[in-house]
Amino acid sequence: MELIKQRGGLASLAHSSEYLKPLILHSLILGVMANTTTPPSQHVPTTSQLDLIAIMTELYGDGIYPILLCPPYLFIDVIKINNLRFQTTSAPITETTRATADEILEHIEAFSPDDWTGTNPDAREDWLLLGRMYKCSIALYCISSLQSLSILPSSKYYTAMRTVHGNHLYSLLPKITRRTRIRHFTIWPLVVAGMQAVDASPNVRRIVDEQLSELSKIMGCPTPTLAKAIFRRFWTSGQTGWDECFDKANVLWTGLAGLITYLIVISVYRLFSHPLRNIPGPKLAAVTHLYEWYYDLFLGGKYLFEIEGMHERYGPIVRINAREIHINDPKYYDEIYASGTHRRNKDAEFVSFTGLLLSSASTTDHDLHRYRRGLMNNFFSKKSVRGISYFVEEKVHNLMQRFEAFYRCNKVVRLDDAFAAMTSDVITHYCYGKSWDYLDYANLRTDVRKAVHDLTCSVHFNRIFPIFLAVLKKLPLQWLYAIHPGRSVVLDIQKTIYEQSAEAIHGDKYKIGHNDAVDKHKTIYDQLTDPSIPAEERSLQRLQDEGLLLVSAGTETTARALTTACFHIASDDQVRTRLREELRTVLPTPTSSVTWSELEKLPYLTGTVNESLRLGGFLTTRSPRIAPDEPLTYKEYTIPPGTPVSSSSYFGHKNPNIFPEPEKFSPERWISAGRNNDHLFKYITSFSRGSRICAGMNLAFLELYMTLAYFVRRFDVELVDTTVEDMKIVRDMRVGFTHRGEPTVYGRIVRVYED
């Protein structure tokens, strides 16, 4: 509360930010109502009780508030009653005290529900019932609670008044509970009725009990059920006083009030004292993560586009949640995702969604990541990849054979699934020494892709509630089969990788399978289980996590880029013709052979590869980096060490200042850039940048060049039920989702070239 005092108190705080007013009002209402059912010595310390009147008069307005539709005139009386009760804990009861109690009661009796309803012309009958209900309830609270402390006497006058108001309240409650628009707001009047029912007939008690049960269902909260338990005990106790019924603090009301108070305090800190308080952005996003969660969890991956809107309103740097900054400036990308000379950690709160916490991609610490990445650098170096390019070419030729078979039977094929089957075969062969041979199945198995899809569909839930994934990981696979029979494909892949990991630890190795020098090519397990590596880095869980990461990343990103390229090439005769003419220079016949080195020298093909990465081969998720040792400076803003900072590839790849007509697939832009000595590729961040650049980048390039060259040289595709709208990214689920989910391209092979 000291922080609130420093900001000038609740009233000053409410005026300082529109976003805090609902929280403050909610907190005060809960605090006041909690005190009505709490012994005076244990009242919730909202603020000075009588000071509340001025604040509430301003904030409460006409009393239209979601948790309590009490007329402000009467709500002020509740505050005064609470204050009078609280005074008895530190001062004796005097005639002045009793006179004040009578004045409060007279003020309540003077309230006219008809006059109050006149200020709320809509749904007049509803407002009239509410006004009458709260007048009876507050009058009963005033008499009963003050009699319980001997401030008011137990005279016939007050007994008669209690009886009149009690009977009126009992008659009103059934009418109100039948009115769907206002029945949610009867919880406190029902609490008053429950206490008064100690002197009523069993029938009245039964009605109160039933209405509390019904209200619990309507509200979807346990407060009415808790009240029922209190009243059942009280009705049979032989006691009749207010403070005998509510003889201890109501944990629920008090807890809610405490929670709201905490939210106010943390909101004040985030708005006015947090190190990021000067960074532009919506105040609501700075106050609470619920803003982000609403877009990503409730709307399903829409926060990326809300961030885009923030940049349009606030500029290139925005505070997108309580602790993270997003910068939309491609020229600053290399400062965020810096090279190894600058330490950059990953954000621990952002990597948990994968569940692969021991994989290199999820390693938060800069130095540990550098060590783990170093174990695989040679494995994925351009020299190593080039040395085994022949088996990638074999997988590509297998795919071409499948396309020829589809042509002969005139079959419509999902091209994205075909490319994913091929990339799965490549990455499993490359990492484990044996392919899973998805291309050999009649329907082109895409199990890895299904596993990735399963993960991405729950990515935001897993990020927000990482405990769920952590619990699942601890369960045996056979249990997961029973719990999630629909995820059997995903679990089969996990089981395969786990088994290969276990075999590797026990010394079994796999080889590429060719009797030449490259037979010495090591698998990923050879790299990661070398005896020179510390034991904790050779654990089974570590191998499993790294294996799942490599297989999923090695399948999906490259397949998406190929799918994007295929769609645009099939859609644009000019692009297709020009690319095919260029390919004829190195592939004189469709069945000729060509090397990766030769293909890299073709400018139009290189432009096609780059465009496929720009428009389809990237992660839409932001991947925050933390500079633990140094502040970052962007324009006039200083970003403190330890702050998560991100920059989404989605914005950089579609920046019209760098890529004019950014939605257009234009290999020509890369040729023009080359002539002008513009280094456009530095703005392609499909593989990230800096010390954490994707290890499999070279393998991906080999697949892209080889597949596009052989595919375009040999086939013409007619798109089926696929338009540019079907390729538009509309959700960020770590990877981009279209309205169909995964980018999906249906096509029919309509021509196979022989020359």
Side-chain angles (χ1 to χ4, degrees):
M1 300 303 291
E2 186 61 32
L3 185 59
I4 293 177
K5 290 180 182 178
Q6 291 176 9
R7 300 302 306 180
L10 285 174
S12 175
L13 192 59
H15 289 130
S16 67
S17 174
E18 288 294 324
Y19 299 103
L20 289 178
K21 283 185 178 180
L23 275 175
I24 292 172
L25 181 55
H26 209 136
S27 174
L28 295 179
I29 291 174
L30 285 172
V32 169
M33 303 318 291
N35 287 341
T36 64
T37 56
T38 300
S41 60
Q42 301 179 43
H43 274 192
V44 176
T46 49
T47 186
S48 175
Q49 301 248 8
L50 293 182
D51 289 346
L52 279 175
I53 294 176
I55 300 172
M56 295 302 297
T57 300
E58 179 180 352
L59 294 183
Y60 204 2
D62 291 327
I64 303 174
Y65 196 72
I67 63 170
L68 194 76
L69 294 186
C70 176
Y73 179 106
L74 294 175
F75 191 78
I76 290 171
D77 288 323
V78 176
I79 296 173
K80 291 179 178 179
I81 297 167
N82 287 349
N83 181 63
L84 203 58
R85 283 168 52 78
F86 183 71
Q87 288 178 357
T88 64
T89 63
S90 58
I93 299 172
T94 65
E95 288 304 316
T96 301
T97 308
R98 294 189 172 94
T100 302
D102 281 326
E103 289 174 4
I104 295 172
L105 189 55
E106 288 175 7
H107 189 262
I108 296 169
E109 290 295 322
F111 173 73
S112 169
D114 290 278
D115 291 344
W116 177 65
T117 303
T119 65
N120 300 286
D122 295 331
R124 175 178 171 80
E125 186 63 26
D126 286 347
W127 288 110
L128 189 60
L129 286 171
L130 283 169
R132 291 170 178 171
M133 177 182 69
Y134 275 103
K135 178 177 181 178
C136 293
S137 302
I138 294 171
L140 288 168
Y141 169 58
C142 180
I143 298 169
S144 299
S145 67
L146 297 182
Q147 282 182 334
S148 182
L149 297 173
S150 300
I151 296 175
L152 289 179
S154 299
S155 65
K156 291 183 179 179
Y157 172 76
Y158 292 112
T159 301
M161 190 176 290
R162 280 183 60 180
T163 301
V164 170
H165 283 297
N167 290 337
H168 195 189
L169 179 60
Y170 299 145
S171 67
L172 287 171
L173 286 172
K175 297 177 183 178
I176 292 176
T177 53
R178 289 195 294 267
R179 305 182 84 88
T180 56
R181 288 195 296 185
I182 60 174
R183 61 184 181 179
H184 296 75
F185 310 105
T186 59
I187 177 61
W188 190 80
L190 266 174
V191 167
V192 175
M195 186 275 158
Q196 296 300 316
V198 70
D199 296 323
S201 66
N203 185 53
V204 170
R205 295 181 184 178
R206 179 184 58 78
I207 292 173
V208 171
D209 194 277
E210 290 175 352
Q211 288 181 343
L212 285 169
S213 297
E214 183 63 23
L215 189 60
S216 184
K217 297 176 184 177
I218 293 171
M219 295 178 64
C221 78
T223 305
T225 302
L226 178 61
K228 277 176 53 179
I230 292 173
F231 294 140
R232 287 178 178 179
R233 173 184 58 80
F234 178 60
W235 291 337
T236 59
S237 67
Q239 298 171 320
T240 59
W242 184 275
D243 288 309
E244 292 168 329
C245 179
F246 305 107
D247 56 354
K248 56 185 177 180
N250 189 312
V251 176
L252 184 62
W253 284 102
T254 305
L256 286 173
L259 174 62
I260 298 298
T261 301
Y262 165 78
L263 292 176
I264 291 175
V265 171
I266 197 66
S267 298
V268 172
Y269 168 73
R270 288 170 174 172
L271 282 176
F272 302 109
S273 301
H274 195 281
L276 304 183
R277 62 188 178 277
N278 295 322
I279 304 298
K283 300 301 182 185
L284 192 58
V287 164
T288 173
H289 287 278
L290 293 175
Y291 188 77
E292 176 184 358
W293 296 354
Y294 168 75
Y295 282 96
D296 270 345
L297 196 59
F298 184 75
L299 296 184
K302 293 290 187 177
Y303 200 50
L304 174 72
F305 307 103
E306 175 61 15
I307 293 174
E308 186 175 29
M310 291 182 197
H311 284 298
E312 292 172 357
R313 297 192 299 272
Y314 298 102
I317 179 172
V318 291
R319 183 182 179 186
I320 60 173
N321 61 39
R323 54 190 294 275
E324 183 184 342
I325 292 171
H326 190 277
I327 297 177
N328 184 16
D329 185 345
K331 295 180 180 178
Y332 195 75
Y333 192 92
D334 286 337
E335 185 68 20
I336 300 171
Y337 303 88
S339 63
T341 56
H342 297 275
R343 296 182 72 239
R344 293 291 185 267
N345 294 341
K346 275 197 171 182
D347 183 8
E349 293 190 18
F350 209 86
V351 300
S352 58
F353 68 88
T354 65
L356 309 177
L357 297 184
L358 296 183
S359 68
S360 56
S362 297
T363 303
T364 58
D365 181 74
H366 173 89
D367 296 322
L368 180 56
H369 172 268
R370 191 172 185 177
Y371 173 78
R372 289 175 171 173
R373 172 63 182 271
L375 299 176
M376 298 186 293
N377 277 344
N378 289 336
F379 188 71
F380 284 108
S381 69
K382 191 164 188 177
K383 180 180 179 181
S384 295
V385 171
R386 199 184 299 277
I388 48 82
S389 60
Y390 64 87
F391 91 76
V392 174
E393 190 171 7
E394 284 183 3
K395 301 302 178 185
V396 172
H397 283 309
N398 288 347
L399 177 61
M400 300 305 116
Q401 291 170 8
R402 293 306 311 272
F403 282 139
E404 286 190 9
F406 293 140
Y407 167 73
R408 289 193 293 272
C409 63
N410 197 34
K411 181 179 180 179
V412 174
V413 62
R414 269 190 62 171
L415 295 167
D416 51 302
D417 278 351
F419 292 130
M422 188 271 294
T423 55
S424 292
D425 282 356
V426 168
I427 191 64
T428 53
H429 199 154
Y430 190 67
C431 289
Y432 306 132
K434 59 179 181 181
S435 172
W436 291 355
D437 295 328
Y438 286 173
L439 283 172
D440 293 344
Y441 288 82
N443 294 321
L444 298 171
R445 282 185 64 176
T446 56
D447 294 6
V448 173
R449 194 166 197 226
K450 290 176 183 176
V452 173
H453 180 79
D454 183 82
L455 173 62
T456 55
C457 284
S458 58
V459 63
H460 297 301
F461 180 87
N462 292 338
R463 179 168 62 87
I464 295 168
F465 305 107
I467 185 65
F468 180 76
L469 203 57
V471 170
L472 285 182
K473 282 201 69 174
K474 293 184 181 297
L475 297 178
L477 280 177
Q478 58 268 32
W479 288 21
L480 293 177
Y481 275 103
I483 296 171
H484 291 291
R487 298 182 65 220
S488 59
V489 168
V490 179
L491 298 172
D492 284 341
I493 289 176
Q494 190 172 335
K495 181 180 178 183
T496 300
I497 292 177
Y498 284 11
E499 289 173 348
Q500 290 185 347
S501 301
E503 289 171 356
I505 286 181
H506 289 91
D508 293 333
K509 309 293 183 200
Y510 302 101
K511 294 188 176 182
I512 290 294
H514 285 260
N515 297 318
D516 54 25
V518 281
D519 190 40
K520 298 177 182 178
H521 169 81
K522 293 183 177 180
T523 70
I524 189 64
Y525 292 132
D526 290 310
Q527 300 286 115
L528 299 181
T529 59
D530 190 284
S532 64
I533 298 174
E536 64 271 16
E537 289 297 308
R538 291 183 280 122
S539 68
L540 179 59
Q541 188 63 59
R542 164 93 175 94
L543 294 181
Q544 292 168 350
D545 285 2
E546 199 70 66
L548 281 169
L549 169 72
L550 290 171
V551 169
S552 58
T555 293
E556 188 62 20
T557 306
T558 310
R560 280 172 168 260
L562 287 169
T563 299
T564 300
C566 180
F567 170 80
H568 288 286
I569 291 168
S571 302
D572 193 322
D573 292 341
Q574 183 178 350
V575 169
R576 185 173 62 256
T577 300
R578 185 168 177 182
L579 178 57
R580 184 171 290 137
E581 288 305 311
E582 183 182 72
L583 288 171
R584 289 181 187 274
T585 64
V586 292
L587 287 170
T589 69
T591 56
S592 300
S593 293
V594 66
T595 66
W596 180 19
S597 298
E598 292 174 298
L599 293 175
E600 285 182 305
K601 296 174 184 177
L602 301 179
Y604 203 80
L605 176 60
T606 297
T608 301
V609 169
N610 291 343
E611 282 291 90
S612 70
L613 290 170
R614 185 180 71 84
L615 290 176
F618 61 91
L619 300 180
T620 51
T621 187
R622 61 190 197 273
S623 182
R625 296 290 189 270
I626 295 173
D629 308 319
E630 58 179 327
L632 301 180
T633 301
Y634 180 74
K635 295 187 176 181
E636 70 271 26
Y637 300 101
T638 298
I639 303 169
T643 302
V645 185
S646 59
S647 186
S648 174
S649 295
Y650 178 83
F651 302 136
H653 286 192
K654 299 194 177 185
N655 188 316
N657 296 322
I658 297 171
F659 302 105
E661 297 183 84
E663 298 295 337
K664 182 180 180 181
F665 188 89
S666 175
E668 290 85 358
R669 76 169 84 241
W670 297 90
I671 298 173
S672 299
R675 285 197 296 262
N676 299 331
N677 203 29
D678 293 333
H679 302 291
L680 279 188
F681 193 77
K682 66 182 179 181
Y683 300 114
I684 296 297
T685 56
S686 299
F687 304 105
S688 191
R689 296 286 275 278
S691 59
R692 293 176 182 260
I693 194 168
C694 176
M697 177 176 67
N698 292 313
L699 181 60
F701 271 120
L702 172 59
E703 293 176 271
L704 287 168
Y705 273 99
M706 286 287 187
T707 306
L708 288 176
Y710 285 119
F711 180 74
V712 175
R713 181 65 183 87
R714 192 175 303 187
F715 302 109
D716 274 343
V717 175
E718 177 185 78
L719 296 177
V720 177
D721 190 29
T722 306
T723 67
V724 69
E725 285 299 311
D726 299 320
M727 301 297 291
K728 184 178 180 181
I729 293 175
V730 297
R731 297 182 189 276
D732 165 29
M733 307 300 287
R734 188 173 182 268
V735 291
F737 268 32
T738 69
H739 69 93
R740 289 174 167 176
E742 298 282 352
T744 304
V745 176
Y746 293 93
R748 181 184 288 109
I749 307 297
V750 293
R751 182 176 178 181
V752 177
Y753 285 83
E754 302 294 340
D755 56 1

PDB file of all heavy atoms in Angstrom, residues 21 113 195 219 259 299 355 384 460 494 563 576 595 605 746:
ATOM      1  N   LYS A  21      -8.954   2.434 -13.216  1.00  0.00           N
ATOM      2  CA  LYS A  21     -10.237   2.709 -12.560  1.00  0.00           C
ATOM      3  C   LYS A  21     -11.070   1.453 -12.309  1.00  0.00           C
ATOM      4  O   LYS A  21     -11.583   1.256 -11.207  1.00  0.00           O
ATOM      5  CB  LYS A  21     -11.043   3.726 -13.371  1.00  0.00           C
ATOM      6  CG  LYS A  21     -10.539   5.154 -13.199  1.00  0.00           C
ATOM      7  CD  LYS A  21     -11.447   6.149 -13.915  1.00  0.00           C
ATOM      8  CE  LYS A  21     -10.958   7.577 -13.690  1.00  0.00           C
ATOM      9  NZ  LYS A  21     -11.832   8.552 -14.374  1.00  0.00           N
ATOM     10  N   PRO A 113     -36.940   3.898  -4.140  1.00  0.00           N
ATOM     11  CA  PRO A 113     -36.616   3.119  -5.354  1.00  0.00           C
ATOM     12  C   PRO A 113     -37.259   3.696  -6.610  1.00  0.00           C
ATOM     13  O   PRO A 113     -36.664   3.651  -7.692  1.00  0.00           O
ATOM     14  CB  PRO A 113     -37.166   1.728  -5.031  1.00  0.00           C
ATOM     15  CG  PRO A 113     -37.161   1.659  -3.541  1.00  0.00           C
ATOM     16  CD  PRO A 113     -37.498   3.043  -3.077  1.00  0.00           C
ATOM     17  N   MET A 195     -29.113 -14.837   6.729  1.00  0.00           N
ATOM     18  CA  MET A 195     -28.912 -14.546   8.149  1.00  0.00           C
ATOM     19  C   MET A 195     -30.252 -14.278   8.823  1.00  0.00           C
ATOM     20  O   MET A 195     -30.514 -14.745   9.939  1.00  0.00           O
ATOM     21  CB  MET A 195     -27.974 -13.336   8.276  1.00  0.00           C
ATOM     22  CG  MET A 195     -27.552 -13.018   9.708  1.00  0.00           C
ATOM     23  SD  MET A 195     -28.781 -11.975  10.510  1.00  0.00           S
ATOM     24  CE  MET A 195     -28.410 -12.312  12.227  1.00  0.00           C
ATOM     25  N   MET A 219     -23.750 -18.301 -11.573  1.00  0.00           N
ATOM     26  CA  MET A 219     -22.534 -17.492 -11.488  1.00  0.00           C
ATOM     27  C   MET A 219     -21.281 -18.296 -11.825  1.00  0.00           C
ATOM     28  O   MET A 219     -20.265 -17.737 -12.210  1.00  0.00           O
ATOM     29  CB  MET A 219     -22.385 -16.901 -10.086  1.00  0.00           C
ATOM     30  CG  MET A 219     -23.471 -15.900  -9.717  1.00  0.00           C
ATOM     31  SD  MET A 219     -23.282 -15.289  -8.026  1.00  0.00           S
ATOM     32  CE  MET A 219     -21.712 -14.424  -8.124  1.00  0.00           C
ATOM     33  N   LEU A 259      -6.607 -10.084  -3.671  1.00  0.00           N
ATOM     34  CA  LEU A 259      -6.113 -10.292  -5.035  1.00  0.00           C
ATOM     35  C   LEU A 259      -6.220  -9.014  -5.851  1.00  0.00           C
ATOM     36  O   LEU A 259      -5.276  -8.627  -6.547  1.00  0.00           O
ATOM     37  CB  LEU A 259      -6.909 -11.418  -5.705  1.00  0.00           C
ATOM     38  CG  LEU A 259      -6.604 -11.663  -7.188  1.00  0.00           C
ATOM     39  CD1 LEU A 259      -5.152 -12.067  -7.380  1.00  0.00           C
ATOM     40  CD2 LEU A 259      -7.543 -12.725  -7.758  1.00  0.00           C
ATOM     41  N   LEU A 299      -8.461 -15.784 -28.868  1.00  0.00           N
ATOM     42  CA  LEU A 299      -8.700 -15.568 -30.301  1.00  0.00           C
ATOM     43  C   LEU A 299      -7.885 -16.504 -31.172  1.00  0.00           C
ATOM     44  O   LEU A 299      -8.150 -16.621 -32.363  1.00  0.00           O
ATOM     45  CB  LEU A 299      -8.400 -14.115 -30.672  1.00  0.00           C
ATOM     46  CG  LEU A 299      -9.292 -13.047 -30.024  1.00  0.00           C
ATOM     47  CD1 LEU A 299      -8.932 -11.673 -30.562  1.00  0.00           C
ATOM     48  CD2 LEU A 299     -10.766 -13.327 -30.272  1.00  0.00           C
ATOM     49  N   GLY A 355       8.456 -27.856 -24.621  1.00  0.00           N
ATOM     50  CA  GLY A 355       8.669 -29.006 -23.745  1.00  0.00           C
ATOM     51  C   GLY A 355      10.032 -29.641 -23.928  1.00  0.00           C
ATOM     52  O   GLY A 355      10.410 -30.538 -23.181  1.00  0.00           O
ATOM     53  N   SER A 384      30.225 -30.442 -44.664  1.00  0.00           N
ATOM     54  CA  SER A 384      29.632 -31.751 -44.349  1.00  0.00           C
ATOM     55  C   SER A 384      28.380 -31.992 -45.176  1.00  0.00           C
ATOM     56  O   SER A 384      28.157 -33.095 -45.694  1.00  0.00           O
ATOM     57  CB  SER A 384      29.299 -31.822 -42.858  1.00  0.00           C
ATOM     58  OG  SER A 384      30.458 -31.777 -42.069  1.00  0.00           O
ATOM     59  N   HIS A 460       0.296 -21.827 -27.587  1.00  0.00           N
ATOM     60  CA  HIS A 460       0.031 -20.713 -26.674  1.00  0.00           C
ATOM     61  C   HIS A 460      -0.429 -21.209 -25.304  1.00  0.00           C
ATOM     62  O   HIS A 460      -0.053 -20.640 -24.273  1.00  0.00           O
ATOM     63  CB  HIS A 460      -0.992 -19.773 -27.285  1.00  0.00           C
ATOM     64  CG  HIS A 460      -0.524 -19.133 -28.556  1.00  0.00           C
ATOM     65  ND1 HIS A 460       0.606 -18.347 -28.619  1.00  0.00           N
ATOM     66  CD2 HIS A 460      -1.007 -19.193 -29.823  1.00  0.00           C
ATOM     67  CE1 HIS A 460       0.789 -17.934 -29.856  1.00  0.00           C
ATOM     68  NE2 HIS A 460      -0.175 -18.437 -30.611  1.00  0.00           N
ATOM     69  N   GLN A 494       7.645 -39.938 -31.171  1.00  0.00           N
ATOM     70  CA  GLN A 494       8.377 -39.743 -29.927  1.00  0.00           C
ATOM     71  C   GLN A 494       8.993 -41.062 -29.471  1.00  0.00           C
ATOM     72  O   GLN A 494      10.155 -41.111 -29.055  1.00  0.00           O
ATOM     73  CB  GLN A 494       7.415 -39.210 -28.860  1.00  0.00           C
ATOM     74  CG  GLN A 494       8.090 -38.738 -27.590  1.00  0.00           C
ATOM     75  CD  GLN A 494       7.112 -38.042 -26.677  1.00  0.00           C
ATOM     76  OE1 GLN A 494       6.102 -37.518 -27.119  1.00  0.00           O
ATOM     77  NE2 GLN A 494       7.417 -38.046 -25.396  1.00  0.00           N
ATOM     78  N   THR A 563       6.598 -25.418 -50.477  1.00  0.00           N
ATOM     79  CA  THR A 563       5.170 -25.286 -50.781  1.00  0.00           C
ATOM     80  C   THR A 563       4.874 -23.885 -51.306  1.00  0.00           C
ATOM     81  O   THR A 563       4.134 -23.705 -52.281  1.00  0.00           O
ATOM     82  CB  THR A 563       4.338 -25.564 -49.515  1.00  0.00           C
ATOM     83  OG1 THR A 563       4.592 -26.889 -49.067  1.00  0.00           O
ATOM     84  CG2 THR A 563       2.853 -25.396 -49.802  1.00  0.00           C
ATOM     85  N   ARG A 576       7.506 -19.148 -64.033  1.00  0.00           N
ATOM     86  CA  ARG A 576       7.781 -20.552 -64.377  1.00  0.00           C
ATOM     87  C   ARG A 576       8.616 -20.667 -65.649  1.00  0.00           C
ATOM     88  O   ARG A 576       9.596 -21.423 -65.694  1.00  0.00           O
ATOM     89  CB  ARG A 576       6.453 -21.304 -64.514  1.00  0.00           C
ATOM     90  CG  ARG A 576       6.629 -22.795 -64.758  1.00  0.00           C
ATOM     91  CD  ARG A 576       5.291 -23.513 -64.703  1.00  0.00           C
ATOM     92  NE  ARG A 576       4.351 -23.066 -65.709  1.00  0.00           N
ATOM     93  CZ  ARG A 576       3.305 -22.261 -65.480  1.00  0.00           C
ATOM     94  NH1 ARG A 576       3.073 -21.809 -64.253  1.00  0.00           N
ATOM     95  NH2 ARG A 576       2.485 -21.900 -66.459  1.00  0.00           N
ATOM     96  N   THR A 595      24.946 -30.314 -59.687  1.00  0.00           N
ATOM     97  CA  THR A 595      25.439 -30.188 -58.314  1.00  0.00           C
ATOM     98  C   THR A 595      24.852 -28.944 -57.661  1.00  0.00           C
ATOM     99  O   THR A 595      24.402 -28.004 -58.330  1.00  0.00           O
ATOM    100  CB  THR A 595      26.962 -30.098 -58.273  1.00  0.00           C
ATOM    101  OG1 THR A 595      27.382 -28.874 -58.903  1.00  0.00           O
ATOM    102  CG2 THR A 595      27.596 -31.288 -58.980  1.00  0.00           C
ATOM    103  N   LEU A 605      17.081 -18.776 -60.063  1.00  0.00           N
ATOM    104  CA  LEU A 605      16.772 -19.832 -59.102  1.00  0.00           C
ATOM    105  C   LEU A 605      17.087 -19.355 -57.685  1.00  0.00           C
ATOM    106  O   LEU A 605      16.313 -19.610 -56.748  1.00  0.00           O
ATOM    107  CB  LEU A 605      17.568 -21.101 -59.419  1.00  0.00           C
ATOM    108  CG  LEU A 605      17.420 -22.260 -58.422  1.00  0.00           C
ATOM    109  CD1 LEU A 605      15.964 -22.709 -58.332  1.00  0.00           C
ATOM    110  CD2 LEU A 605      18.321 -23.429 -58.809  1.00  0.00           C
ATOM    111  N   TYR A 746      -3.148 -27.863 -53.111  1.00  0.00           N
ATOM    112  CA  TYR A 746      -3.593 -29.017 -53.883  1.00  0.00           C
ATOM    113  C   TYR A 746      -3.248 -28.780 -55.355  1.00  0.00           C
ATOM    114  O   TYR A 746      -3.430 -27.672 -55.876  1.00  0.00           O
ATOM    115  CB  TYR A 746      -5.104 -29.206 -53.758  1.00  0.00           C
ATOM    116  CG  TYR A 746      -5.565 -29.594 -52.375  1.00  0.00           C
ATOM    117  CD1 TYR A 746      -5.969 -28.616 -51.469  1.00  0.00           C
ATOM    118  CD2 TYR A 746      -5.593 -30.925 -51.972  1.00  0.00           C
ATOM    119  CE1 TYR A 746      -6.394 -28.964 -50.193  1.00  0.00           C
ATOM    120  CE2 TYR A 746      -6.017 -31.285 -50.701  1.00  0.00           C
ATOM    121  CZ  TYR A 746      -6.412 -30.298 -49.819  1.00  0.00           C
ATOM    122  OH  TYR A 746      -6.824 -30.641 -48.566  1.00  0.00           O
TER     123      TYR A 746
END
